[in-house]
Amino acid sequence: MHALWPEVERCLPHLWRTVRGYEANPALQEELMQEVLLAIWRSLERLRTQDSLLPFVLRIAHNLGASHVRDAARLPRRLSLEEAAPEEAAADPAEEERRWLLAAVRRLPLPLRQVLLLQLEGFDYREIAGMLGISVDNVGVRAHRARRQLQEMSDGCG
Amino acid sequence: MDADERLRALWQGQRLPAMPAAQLLARVQRHQRRLRLQRVLEAAISLIAVAWFIAIFLHRPFAPVEWLLLPYFSTFLVVAWSFNLRHRPRRQAVAENTQVYAGLRLAQLRARLRELQLVRRSAQWLLGYALAALLLALFRGTPDWHRATLSLAITAVVWLLGCELIARHWSRRCRREYRALRRLR
C-alpha cells in the first residue's frame, strides 16, 4: 500500500461530496467513487508534497466527474423542492435544504459547477484557479454566475 | 453567518454513504486485479491463435478454412494489439489541472472515435472478403472450399453485427463525454 493512502482516506468525505455533485444515482456514485480512487491510487507516485494532497485528489475527482457527466449541461430551469432530490424524504428542514442544494448544484453547467463545488469545499479563488487551470478573474466570473443561477433556482421554488 | 458560509455549512453537513475505507480499498484492488486478468486473457487468446497457426503449419498442409482465416488473423491481431497498447486510459492526464485534462481527453476521444470507425470499416472489409471468397469458391472451388467460405461468410456477418453494436454503444458514450468536456475548454 502507498505510504500516503491513509491520508487519502482522510479526504474521503471531500471526495464523496464531489462525486455526489456529479451523479445522483447512489449505485453510479459508488462506481464513480471507485473510479476516482483507482485513479488516485495510480497517480499517487506523481504527488510531490503531502501538503497538496487534498487539491490533488479533488482535481482527479473533478476531472473524472466531468468525464462522467451523462447529460449535456443545460441552463437550469426553475427547480421546485418536490423535484429537487428524488432520494429519501428528509426529516428536518436543514436536510431538506441540503437535498435542494445538492440537486441545484447538479443542474449547474459544468464550468460553473466545478467552481462552486470547490468553493463549497472551502478553497479560495487562487487555489481554484490553479486546480482548474483558469485565471483568477475567470473563477470570480464563474462563481458569480453560479451563485446567480442558484438564486434563480431558489426563487423559482416558492 | 453570511450566505456563503451558510451554503458551505449546508454542503459540508451532508450525510455521506457509510462505506468503510477498507471496503473501498478492497474494491479498488479487486478492480485492478480484474484489469490485469483481462490483459492476461487478451494476451493468452492472441498467443493461442498464433501457436495454433504455427502448429498447423509445421505438422500438415493448411485446410481451406485455415487459408481463408490466415489473412484475417494476420491483420486483425496486429490492429487489435496496436489499439490495445496505444490506449493508456487517462492515466497520465487525470491528475493534471482541468484545462489540460480536458484538452488531452478530447484528443483521446477523437482518436477513439476514429478507431471505432476503423473497427466498423474492418468488419465491412472482412464481410466483403468473405463474400468474394464465397462467390469464387461457388464458381471454381471444391465442396471443401464451399463449406469453408460459407462458414467464413456467416462468421463475417455475425462479426459485422457485433462490431456495429459495440461501436455504436461506445461512439454514443464518447460523443456524450466529448460534448461535456468541450464546455470546459
Side-chain angles (χ1 to χ4, degrees):
Chain A
M1 190 193 292
H2 195 283
L4 279 178
W5 191 254
E7 300 297 321
V8 173
E9 287 180 1
R10 264 179 229 133
C11 300
L12 285 181
H14 300 274
L15 290 172
W16 269 119
R17 287 196 290 267
T18 303
V19 161
R20 279 159 67 91
Y22 284 99
E23 177 59 61
N25 180 326
L28 294 176
Q29 281 172 8
E30 279 189 21
E31 199 180 287
L32 178 57
M33 185 68 174
Q34 192 179 316
E35 202 183 331
V36 168
L37 288 176
L38 186 63
I40 292 170
W41 176 275
R42 284 170 170 166
S43 310
L44 266 182
E45 64 212 28
R46 301 176 60 202
L47 182 66
R48 301 277 175 268
T49 58
Q50 191 175 330
D51 298 342
S52 53
L53 180 67
L54 182 61
F56 179 80
V57 297
L58 284 182
R59 208 160 55 210
I60 292 177
H62 278 283
N63 285 341
L64 293 181
S67 276
H68 176 82
V69 167
R70 269 136 214 277
D71 301 311
R74 299 165 295 178
L75 278 177
R77 58 191 173 83
R78 294 193 159 202
L79 179 70
S80 73
L81 274 177
E82 288 70 34
E83 65 174 333
E87 294 157 27
E88 75 272 19
D92 64 299
E95 192 55 35
E96 190 94 347
E97 278 187 294
R98 265 184 213 114
R99 285 173 50 216
W100 180 87
L101 177 61
L102 194 53
V105 163
R106 285 184 197 134
R107 291 223 171 169
L108 288 174
L110 216 41
L112 309 189
R113 194 188 321 178
Q114 290 193 322
V115 170
L116 185 70
L117 283 173
L118 288 168
Q119 248 195 324
L120 291 173
E121 288 299 334
F123 291 97
D124 63 27
Y125 281 13
R126 192 175 296 276
E127 290 169 316
I128 296 173
M131 289 161 82
L132 299 182
I134 55 178
S135 68
V136 177
D137 288 345
N138 200 345
V139 172
V141 170
R142 290 188 192 187
H144 175 72
R145 285 187 188 156
R147 259 184 251 122
R148 199 182 58 209
Q149 292 202 8
L150 273 189
Q151 188 60 51
E152 283 171 9
M153 284 189 257
S154 171
D155 292 345
C157 72
Chain B
M1 194 189 274
D2 71 6
D4 279 353
E5 279 178 36
R6 196 168 157 274
L7 268 184
R8 201 170 293 150
L10 264 182
W11 179 256
Q12 296 188 1
Q14 283 180 60
R15 264 185 313 183
L16 299 171
M19 185 175 288
Q23 193 181 335
L24 277 170
L25 178 61
R27 275 191 183 195
V28 170
Q29 288 173 330
R30 214 164 37 235
H31 186 70
Q32 271 203 316
R33 277 198 296 273
R34 208 164 43 231
L35 287 179
R36 250 180 248 133
L37 182 68
Q38 189 184 326
R39 185 50 63 91
V40 168
L41 270 177
E42 286 165 0
I45 291 171
S46 303
L47 287 176
I48 288 170
V50 172
W52 182 57
F53 271 112
I54 291 174
I56 291 171
F57 181 74
L58 292 178
H59 293 102
R60 62 170 170 81
F62 277 175
V65 72
E66 287 143 10
W67 277 116
L68 288 167
L69 282 176
L70 193 60
Y72 171 61
F73 262 100
S74 58
T75 50
F76 174 77
L77 279 183
V78 174
V79 171
W81 273 101
S82 71
F83 282 178
N84 218 348
L85 294 176
R86 271 194 318 138
H87 265 283
R88 286 275 154 254
R90 293 188 282 198
R91 206 172 290 178
Q92 284 87 15
V94 80
E96 301 294 339
N97 72 47
T98 301
Q99 285 294 303
V100 174
Y101 170 75
L104 292 171
R105 187 70 187 143
L106 285 172
Q108 279 182 347
L109 288 169
R110 280 193 296 270
R112 171 70 71 92
L113 284 168
R114 276 196 300 273
E115 285 166 5
L116 288 171
Q117 196 56 33
L118 197 60
V119 167
R120 281 189 169 125
R121 288 275 170 275
S122 67
Q124 289 162 2
W125 275 106
L126 172 65
L127 182 61
Y129 163 70
L131 291 177
L134 178 63
L135 279 178
L136 206 64
L138 284 176
F139 288 117
R140 310 275 306 262
T142 59
D144 276 356
W145 280 94
H146 292 175
R147 275 193 299 278
T149 50
L150 185 62
S151 49
L152 182 68
I154 292 169
T155 312
V157 170
V158 174
W159 182 256
L160 178 69
L161 291 176
C163 283
E164 190 60 38
L165 276 177
I166 291 170
R168 197 171 289 180
H169 169 74
W170 280 103
S171 302
R172 215 175 293 144
R173 279 186 73 156
C174 284
R175 289 211 173 85
R176 215 155 39 201
E177 188 180 341
Y178 192 90
R179 279 194 294 271
L181 287 176
R182 209 174 40 189
R183 290 190 168 83
L184 294 175
R185 295 285 289 163

